[in-house]
Amino acid sequence: MRSLTSPMFSISRSGGILLHPSSLPGRFGIGEIGPEAIRWLETLDRMGHKAWQMLPLGPTGYGNSPYQALSSFAGNPLLISLEGLRNDGVLTPDDLAMVPAFPTSKVDFDAASEVRTAFLKLAAQRFITQCDSSPLMRLAFSVFCEREAWWLDDYAMFIALKEESGFLPWNEWPSHLALRDPGAMEKASERRASEIAEVKALQFFFHRQWQKIRVRAKELGISLIGDIPIFTAHDSADVWARQDLFELDEKGNPIVVAGVPPDYFSATGQRWGNPLYKWDVHQAEGFAWWKARLRKTLDMVDIVRIDHFRGFAAYWEIPAEEETAVNGKWVEAPGDAIFNAIKEDFGSDVPVIAEDLGIITPDVEALRDGQGFPGMRVMQFAFGGDTLAEDYVPENYPEDSVAYTGTHDNDTVVGLFNSKVGGDTTRTQEEIDKERQSILNYTGTDGSEIHWDFIDRVWKSKSRLAVTPLQDLLALGSEARMNIPGKMAEFWTWRFTWDQVTPEIEGKMRQITEDAQRLG
């Protein structure tokens, strides 16, 4: 493996926290990209951290998963700071006083979405009206709409038509709209003009607020690490706008879908349902769509983690009619061709982290190493029955890797250590007991502070960047888990409160970071 020279590691040996913005504190039902996000950056700085990693920032659709977004290019309006809109004068203190009380420890997506959408629409309507009387704001909005038109026009139309249809998936719309008949699109553009303008205004709000976060992060020397899912949701502006790039039938329905075969997480595999790419069409266009997707993400963050990186070497193709992922097959993907084309535009050192977990074969390793992308090492995987367990022991991590105590798909460290038969685990009691004893033997502790044991070992590894989910830093159990792969349930809802991040925790984390020479 080569040594790390990509821009992401110009930040030097350092540490960071994995936390999605939706998990930030606040009284408006979901974490926001406003004052609380700035406070979070300053908290990271006090702990000596130089990275904030998050999940995809796109607008979530069915199931509220950031990995099934309505757009690969838009920001999630639910994350827009209502306080920020008040400061901009498009919401008033009286407006905010009318927002009902929400749970502070979790996101009630249905309730929060209903209430917040009403206030966001109000803010957008006021903004559009006020734009006419404010030359500066009118100019800023106009410049934004013109600069981002290449994705914003399709996204705004998609959302406006989705609302008109009662939020049906686009392939269930009238065929002339689903298949984008030019005459029907022109009429829809006129008919839904006000709704289209509102959608664009909300994206203007999101991007304007996000840039304030970027500025503060740069002031503090903190890198923002974003996330790109390899696949896109079928019910998205991406697929609707460029149906020729995906494996769809003449009505817009997927022919084959993405997933992974049976593995550590699921006995029947995971059937994600995302339509697969027509890679020959992408290649004929010089992978322009992928270049645009990566470029847009890097406008928002400094480093990009690409989820399910192995799908660029070969992906699991499942016939759309199959209910599980069992009856799929591996299909080769043009990985080197994709990244070579990207590097022609971006330069040789693209700031990418390859999510290389799961079934990793020699072709995946060759693609990752040949392209010079650091992979991931997750300490939780070091103690099970997996034949690759030794690779996840912190002492074995290569420098060109990113080390984690766990990810958003794992149980928390405390949850893993205290797990029981049933619930969210498929392991037997014997397997649980053996894994727990392996953890104790490795750490040489009694397990009373197992989260600190994991963080300390990961931070002392050779990996240039070390990351822990905030849940592990706070010693939270399985109740704080963000997601369980392959299961449909109420996930992505966890939030923290500021009183959980005590001065003692901040101080200990900074000390571990300093001892591991990760202060940056």
Side-chain angles (χ1 to χ4, degrees), residues 462-485:
K462 293 180 181 179
S463 297
R464 190 70 63 88
L465 179 61
V467 177
T468 186
L470 182 59
Q471 293 96 316
D472 287 346
L473 183 61
L474 302 182
L476 300 178
S478 298
E479 75 284 351
R481 185 168 184 166
M482 198 68 167
N483 181 50
I484 300 177

Side-chain angles (χ1 to χ4, degrees), residues 70 154-162 170 173 235-237 240:
L70 298 172
D154 282 323
Y155 172 71
M157 176 70 84
F158 175 80
I159 296 299
L161 291 176
K162 197 165 181 62
W170 66 263
W173 298 350
D235 188 25
S236 67
W240 175 68

Side-chain angles (χ1 to χ4, degrees), residues 90-138:
V90 290
L91 289 179
T92 69
D94 288 342
D95 292 330
L96 299 191
M98 295 173 62
V99 178
F102 287 102
T104 57
S105 61
K106 65 177 296 186
V107 180
D108 182 338
F109 278 102
D110 289 341
S113 178
E114 181 179 359
V115 170
R116 292 177 66 87
T117 297
F119 282 97
L120 290 171
K121 280 183 171 290
L122 175 62
Q125 290 163 2
R126 285 178 179 163
F127 172 76
I128 292 167
T129 301
Q130 293 173 8
C131 255
D132 292 335
S133 59
S134 172
L136 187 60
M137 289 300 285
R138 184 172 65 248

Side-chain angles (χ1 to χ4, degrees), residues 391-468:
D391 292 343
Y392 296 103
V393 175
E395 284 76 10
N396 297 333
Y397 297 170
E399 184 181 7
D400 54 345
S401 66
V402 183
Y404 294 81
T405 59
T407 74
H408 66 279
D409 279 336
N410 293 107
D411 200 346
T412 66
V413 165
V414 170
L416 173 75
F417 186 73
N418 293 326
S419 58
K420 297 179 174 58
V421 172
D424 295 329
T425 183
T426 59
R427 295 169 295 162
T428 66
Q429 188 62 54
E430 181 180 2
E431 290 171 330
I432 291 172
D433 292 342
K434 184 178 179 180
E435 187 169 2
R436 184 181 291 121
Q437 190 58 53
S438 295
I439 292 172
L440 292 174
N441 292 343
Y442 173 75
T443 60
T445 67
D446 62 3
S448 60
E449 292 190 328
I450 196 64
H451 61 300
W452 287 122
D453 298 333
F454 269 58
I455 291 171
D456 183 65
R457 293 305 180 98
V458 165
W459 254 241
K460 288 178 179 176
S461 72
K462 293 180 181 179
S463 297
R464 190 70 63 88
L465 179 61
V467 177
T468 186

Side-chain angles (χ1 to χ4, degrees), residues 354-407:
E355 187 273 286
D356 54 350
L357 307 175
I359 301 174
I360 302 303
T361 47
D363 59 332
V364 182
E365 295 176 343
L367 176 63
R368 179 198 64 204
D369 297 343
Q371 293 295 334
F373 297 146
M376 293 173 58
R377 295 293 184 272
V378 179
M379 185 174 168
Q380 284 199 31
F381 295 157
F383 306 104
D386 195 305
T387 56
L388 298 176
E390 280 295 313
D391 292 343
Y392 296 103
V393 175
E395 284 76 10
N396 297 333
Y397 297 170
E399 184 181 7
D400 54 345
S401 66
V402 183
Y404 294 81
T405 59
T407 74

Side-chain angles (χ1 to χ4, degrees), residues 13-72:
R13 180 176 170 86
S14 54
I17 299 290
L18 170 60
L19 177 78
H20 198 50
S22 64
S23 296
L24 287 165
R27 72 179 186 90
F28 298 115
I30 189 172
E32 300 179 329
I33 55 172
E36 303 290 355
I38 299 298
R39 182 178 176 183
W40 170 245
L41 285 169
E42 293 166 352
T43 301
L44 285 172
D45 183 58
R46 287 196 300 274
M47 290 189 284
H49 290 148
K50 294 300 178 184
W52 174 13
Q53 183 170 339
M54 60 204 71
L55 309 183
L57 291 168
T60 53
Y62 177 74
N64 305 307
S65 170
Y67 293 90
Q68 295 287 348
L70 298 172
S71 170
S72 296

